[in-house]
Amino acid sequence: AFTSATATRCALSRNNPNTNVGDSCYLPPPPLLLRLANSSPLIATSRGDDDRRGGYHKRKSSASAACDAGIPSMTATTLDGKPALKEPAACGPGSALAAVDDADDNPVVNWKSLEVPKDIWVKALELYDEVKTMKKVQNRQPVRKRPAILAALMFILCRSHGYPRTFAEICTAANVTKREIGMYYNLMKQVLDSEYTTIQRAKPLEFLQHWCTVLELPAWMADAAACIYDRADALAIVQGKCPISVSAACIWLVVWAFNHRHYLAETKFVLPEDTLVTSAALPNVPCLRRSNAFVECDQRDVCKAACVVIATLTSVFRLLIPHFTVLIDGLLLDHLK
């Protein structure tokens, strides 16, 4: 036992240099240092009751718990007794070595559904890393609003690279609201260089070509729908209407006319003056029959591709039907065989 007498002899021996310390006192060894090992869940403890049970506890190591929590692990102690910190190991999907590539797996914005090259999505990620450190953006919750910022960047990049997409299409791909995209779109125009913010207004033909590709329609139908759009615009039929909804209605007009082209050719593409349009965007024409060769595309498919509701499509379609003969003139003659 380390008694008070032993302590006294140790004190005397330190004062007398001729005294042999080993003969005068005995100091017990210090307790074993606690070591936290990343590779083993076993933790060594000081000598005591645990030695009689084997000296080790089965428990989850502090390093493993720290890794799960995403904080630096304590694997050693410094000379002053403070824990030494090191970077967390690559032990999960949140680590740097095992990070998930947003460009491929579970992206914030489903860029594949937008039918755009992967390079545009990668560029959007790079721009996000740049703008999130800017003062104007830091005041607008860049981490929490990351999906909305990336959606706004995708809208800008799609336009600048010749792949224009509507706000509605971006909203669907990113699962954010139009209000969020619009807010951060205006913010991105303030912080990005002019090469991204100087964007010409998209032409209807660019949207029409994309939607016809999604609907797997023949290429000529996009050109025919664009021609109908230009004619309707020249006749001031659709003034005040959204270009997106007008473009969708033009596609549906071409599809409907093509599927009934032989009957319409017998009437010289003239519809009755009192032709009504149902709430499902279908003209109420008596004795109407469908051609043998037709495209399997209905008004609901067009609405889904253009991200518009059926009521919007119907409201514009009703404006086009009274001018059907002028709008469709000459567009289906090559397809009557």
Side-chain angles (χ1 to χ4, degrees), residues 56 87 96 141 176 213 221 235 258 275 336:
Y56 293 102
E87 293 298 326
Q141 301 177 326
V176 296
T213 301
M221 284 193 172
L235 295 174
F258 176 80
T275 300
L336 293 175

Side-chain angles (χ1 to χ4, degrees), residues 154-229:
M154 284 295 292
F155 180 82
I156 294 174
L157 291 174
C158 287
R159 288 287 180 94
S160 62
H161 285 76
Y163 297 91
R165 299 295 181 263
T166 64
F167 270 134
E169 290 177 288
I170 301 293
C171 286
T172 303
N175 194 24
V176 296
T177 64
K178 288 184 179 180
R179 181 178 179 274
E180 289 178 310
I181 294 183
M183 179 175 61
Y184 284 100
Y185 169 71
N186 294 328
L187 179 61
M188 292 301 104
K189 289 196 301 182
Q190 299 176 21
V191 299
L192 291 178
D193 296 335
S194 58
E195 61 177 314
Y196 301 108
T197 57
T198 305
I199 304 174
Q200 296 182 353
R201 187 174 182 179
K203 298 179 181 179
L205 179 59
E206 295 175 317
F207 292 114
L208 293 170
Q209 290 174 340
H210 169 57
W211 295 337
C212 287
T213 301
V214 173
L215 294 169
E216 299 181 353
L217 298 176
W220 68 267
M221 284 193 172
D223 298 331
C227 182
I228 293 176
Y229 186 102

